[in-house]
Amino acid sequence: MGFDAAEFDAAEFDAAEFDANRRYRLHERVALRPEPFGALAYHYDNRRLNFLRAPELVTLVESLGEHRSVREAFDSAGLDQSRWPSFEKALASLAASDFLVAI
Amino acid sequence: MTDTAVAPTTPPDTATGSAATALGVPTTAKPHSLVLSPVKRSGLAEQLKAGLDAPICLTWELTYACNLQCIHCLSSSGRRDPRELTTTEAEAVIDELQRMQVFYINIGGGEPTIRSDFWHLIDYATDHGVGVKFSTNGSRIDASVARRLAASDYVDVQISIDGADAATNDAVRGEGSLEVAQQAMKHLHNAGFKGFKISVVMTRHNIAQVDELEAMAARFDAELRLTRFRPSGRGADSWYQLHPTEAQQRLLYRWLLDRPEVLTGDSFFHLSALGEPLPGLNLCGAGRVVCLIDPIGDVYACPFVLHDEFRAGSVRDHGGFQRVWQHSELFAELREPQSAGACASCGHFDACQGGCMAAKFFTGIPLDGPDPECVLGHGEPLVDAARSARPSLALDHSRPSPVKLLARNHRAART
């Protein structure tokens, strides 16, 4: 297709570099397009595409900067604790491709 | 600088063993299962098959004019079409793409840099939030252009070649064309442009050179992009001599599995019938998540189906591109669930999706039949018989008298 869907896997980013106790925000050069599955994200600087595959993930990503830490954002969003690990992994992947930046 | 479509797909949480649910992943997914298992991707893939309000990205061929005459050109390019979109019309298309939030486009041709307003349109797109990757044969990328490109964050470049050595490359693209392309690579490299793409269509003759191609990309700080050769455009004839053998396809599959960093545009999904799926969405995106705008504004389902059967409309029609994308009958049909047809009895349809629509269409195989390059051997027996059912090529912008190019022999054979 016109785009290259080389997906990240565990070997390609170090999840340990992501710290859920820190504050993150969406990179200012990232745009989100709402989609039924969540959102399509595009990074104008590194020209990567990203699928945010849950509507809750989109809301969360947009609000990250308003919270002192990722975990606080989870809590504030009322996200069920059983879903925290998978959301954390998704955010770690986004941070690894520079869609999120630590502040 | 990679343009990867990255699904933030992650393994289920290993600490708790719970399944990943944030990513649209069924809760039945096995803990510790492979990151890229097809089961986990299927939720997204199924949604994408039904189409989106706007394409994820699209290919826009700005001109049919080309200073090369490659024997496999998917758009049969050569001569400029007098009906080409004007600068004002092209700007209006970009405005529309911005409104639809199409974040980036692949610009090609022909040789797009031949258009006198090429650099203006690139700037216009990036100024309007539409990122650009353009494909070129490199002939217009001199040192100063390379510096300008290196200074822009929003433009990516893809240099096309067809072999690691001049003999292999030039047999397809014309004499001296590899040297020209490598000069462009040198200029980009010297200008500090990291991560531009070196794009190669896999043929019977270059598929054994993948290691050399990989080394070439590394030498120029570039990324290798390998894509599947489709029998489109002038490739409809040269395919019979150039397409990879089944044994070569199997080797390529292993090679790609070992190198998830090599870009493929998801074009080898038919190889996934061999086992573990290759990275990517493994689906045909034609009219669902991608499409093509040709130089005169006609909209086709994908870059490989420049034929009336797959023409959905024109950006010049009332309602413009958006109306074509959202309301054309053709695209609505492509977004319907597709039948497995003749492939229903094979256990691998879920993996290969029956292969590539364009490959079937231009070899005369029914669209619900097997891919002519089906890796399980279901397509090959049909190829000869189907040859008489091939569609005629209505769109041909080939130059009438190609000069000094090896394509001459091929053209002589066609006429």
Side-chain angles (χ1 to χ4, degrees):
Chain A
M1 278 187 284
F3 57 93
D4 296 293
E7 298 191 52
F8 267 179
D9 61 24
E12 288 181 74
F13 74 93
D14 185 358
E17 282 181 15
F18 182 78
D19 182 356
N21 294 311
R22 289 188 66 175
R23 172 183 292 188
Y24 286 80
R25 64 168 169 80
L26 200 59
H27 193 289
E28 66 273 13
R29 297 296 303 158
V30 171
L32 300 178
R33 185 174 98 192
E35 294 292 349
F37 56 80
L40 179 68
Y42 182 69
H43 197 313
Y44 283 99
D45 282 355
N46 64 26
R47 295 189 292 274
R48 284 171 189 268
L49 276 174
N50 214 315
F51 298 106
L52 305 192
R53 294 166 64 172
E56 302 95 316
L57 184 62
V58 183
T59 317
L60 191 83
V61 158
E62 285 173 326
S63 72
L64 274 183
E66 297 157 22
H67 300 281
R68 277 174 302 180
S69 73
V70 170
R71 298 224 161 93
E72 195 186 287
F74 285 172
D75 208 21
S76 163
L79 187 70
D80 191 282
Q81 286 222 9
S82 67
R83 301 182 74 186
W84 286 24
S86 59
F87 271 67
E88 203 174 308
K89 284 269 167 65
L91 296 175
S93 162
L94 286 167
S97 49
D98 216 24
F99 278 66
L100 299 180
V101 286
I103 46 178
Chain B
M1 304 242 280
T2 56
D3 54 343
T4 51
V6 179
T9 316
T10 54
D13 177 59
T14 46
T16 64
S18 67
T21 52
L23 313 168
V25 173
T27 47
T28 49
K30 280 178 286 184
H32 309 290
S33 65
L34 261 175
V35 175
L36 294 172
S37 76
V39 174
K40 294 188 62 188
R41 273 199 314 247
S42 63
L44 179 64
E46 290 309 313
Q47 277 173 319
L48 295 180
K49 280 183 197 169
L52 301 174
D53 284 349
I56 289 176
C57 73
L58 60 84
T59 302
W60 185 1
E61 294 181 345
L62 279 185
T63 181
Y64 282 118
C66 192
N67 51 352
L68 294 183
Q69 186 91 350
C70 307
I71 61 174
H72 61 1
C73 178
L74 74 158
S75 54
S76 300
S77 284
R79 289 172 294 119
R80 183 181 167 274
D81 193 303
R83 297 166 294 172
E84 222 166 60
L85 294 179
T86 64
T87 304
T88 312
E89 285 177 311
E91 287 171 355
V93 170
I94 293 167
D95 293 343
E96 209 179 355
L97 297 178
Q98 179 183 28
R99 281 197 301 274
M100 293 173 75
Q101 282 191 284
V102 176
F103 297 131
Y104 88 93
I105 54 178
N106 298 299
I107 286 183
E111 172 53 44
T113 61
I114 282 181
R115 254 188 89 124
S116 57
D117 58 1
F118 175 75
W119 301 105
H120 164 74
L121 290 176
I122 297 283
D123 288 343
Y124 191 89
T126 54
D127 288 348
H128 287 79
V130 180
V132 169
K133 178 173 80 172
F134 72 89
S135 290
T136 175
N137 57 36
S139 57
R140 304 276 176 116
I141 312 287
D142 60 16
S144 91
V145 167
R147 280 194 296 273
R148 182 179 164 179
L149 290 169
S152 166
D153 276 336
Y154 314 125
V155 181
D156 201 358
V157 187
Q158 179 164 300
I159 312 268
S160 305
I161 57 172
D162 280 280
D165 57 52
T168 310
N169 177 82
D170 294 5
V172 172
R173 306 182 67 81
E175 203 179 323
S177 56
L178 183 65
E179 200 186 321
V180 167
Q182 289 195 308
Q183 278 299 330
M185 293 175 199
K186 228 173 270 177
H187 290 315
L188 289 169
H189 184 53
N190 290 343
F193 193 124
K194 291 194 195 322
F196 67 89
K197 315 294 179 281
I198 297 177
S199 182
V200 191
V201 170
M202 290 283 91
T203 68
R204 192 168 301 186
H205 305 301
N206 66 23
I207 209 163
Q209 301 176 336
V210 284
D211 290 324
E212 285 105 302
L213 292 165
E214 186 181 37
M216 186 191 297
R219 201 158 64 240
F220 290 113
D221 280 331
E223 290 184 44
L224 184 60
R225 186 167 198 263
L226 304 180
T227 55
R228 183 176 174 194
F229 176 32
R230 271 72 155 220
S232 315
R234 286 196 289 271
D237 286 336
S238 53
W239 183 82
Y240 293 89
Q241 288 79 46
L242 291 181
H243 79 89
T245 64
E246 194 182 320
Q248 287 178 324
Q249 294 203 81
R250 286 173 185 269
L251 286 174
L252 180 67
Y253 168 73
R254 302 298 328 171
W255 196 88
L256 288 172
L257 266 189
D258 289 343
R259 290 166 183 78
E261 73 281 5
V262 171
L263 307 172
T264 63
D266 219 1
S267 62
F268 294 108
F269 62 89
H270 72 299
L271 297 182
S272 292
L274 288 169
E276 187 187 337
L278 292 168
L281 295 165
N282 281 297
L283 62 90
C284 167
R288 295 160 160 172
V289 297
V290 297
C291 70
L292 172 105
I293 301 177
D294 92 336
I296 63 172
D298 284 344
V299 181
Y300 293 89
C302 92
F304 303 100
V305 286
L306 284 164
H307 189 281
D308 278 350
E309 293 258 344
F310 295 98
R311 182 182 170 278
S314 167
V315 302
R316 283 171 164 154
D317 296 345
H318 172 71
F321 173 74
Q322 180 162 2
R323 193 178 159 86
V324 176
W325 177 263
Q326 294 180 352
H327 301 291
S328 85
E329 277 177 38
L330 174 71
F331 286 177
E333 207 176 298
L334 291 172
R335 293 165 194 167
E336 290 290 315
Q338 305 290 307
S339 117
C343 298
S345 59
C346 171
H348 297 82
F349 180 80
D350 284 348
C352 79
Q353 303 285 307
C356 171
M357 184 173 81
K360 293 189 254 201
F361 181 69
F362 285 115
T363 52
I365 293 175
L367 294 184
D368 64 352
D371 189 290
E373 293 182 291
C374 166
V375 284
L376 299 171
H378 299 306
E380 204 179 341
L382 307 180
V383 168
D384 277 343
R387 221 165 154 155
S388 58
R390 290 194 302 159
S392 61
L393 295 179
L395 288 162
D396 193 347
H397 291 80
S398 303
R399 281 196 301 270
S401 52
V403 275
K404 275 175 52 179
L405 297 174
L406 301 181
R408 187 195 295 135
N409 294 339
H410 170 75
R411 283 190 51 74
R414 289 184 74 209
T415 47

